[in-house]
Amino acid sequence: MIDKKIFFTLLTSTTISGFIVICTAAQSLRTVKTRAKAPPIVEEVELTPYVLKKYNNTLGVFRGDYESPYKVLDCDFSLLAEADIEALTKGIAVETEAELNSLIEDFTS
């Protein structure tokens, strides 16, 4: 009698444990499939470089190929070297905002 109770208790606990393992595996598989189907959520990042350029005797900061600057800064071009003025006339492209801030600091201070 006691042997039957132990056997059925073990059988019941094994069945319940197996059911839990199967459900957990199925949920994990569903999560993986859902992530594979959904496009990744990416913060919108400006992929085009910044361009620092001479603009109407001021310093203009452009984004990518835009014709008008999104930021205009005062710059005393008489204090700059001829090579710097030529580079700014053509435009200096940088990839990150940190590089842009460093260039702005170099030319405006």
Side-chain angles (χ1 to χ4, degrees), residues 34-42:
T34 303
R35 286 184 184 161
K37 288 180 184 177
I41 298 173
V42 178

Side-chain angles (χ1 to χ4, degrees), residues 78-100:
S78 64
L79 299 176
L80 297 178
E82 194 65 38
D84 289 339
I85 294 172
E86 186 176 319
L88 286 171
T89 302
K90 292 179 182 178
I92 302 171
V94 293
E95 295 294 322
T96 64
E97 197 166 340
E99 291 175 309
L100 175 67

Side-chain angles (χ1 to χ4, degrees), residues 27-63:
Q27 185 64 32
S28 295
L29 184 61
R30 181 190 296 165
T31 302
V32 169
K33 284 183 178 181
T34 303
R35 286 184 184 161
K37 288 180 184 177
I41 298 173
V42 178
E43 290 183 23
E44 193 171 320
V45 177
E46 186 70 36
L47 297 176
T48 57
Y50 297 98
V51 178
L52 190 62
K53 194 172 175 178
K54 187 174 180 182
Y55 177 77
N56 294 337
N57 289 328
T58 60
L59 199 56
V61 179
F62 297 81
R63 284 194 177 162

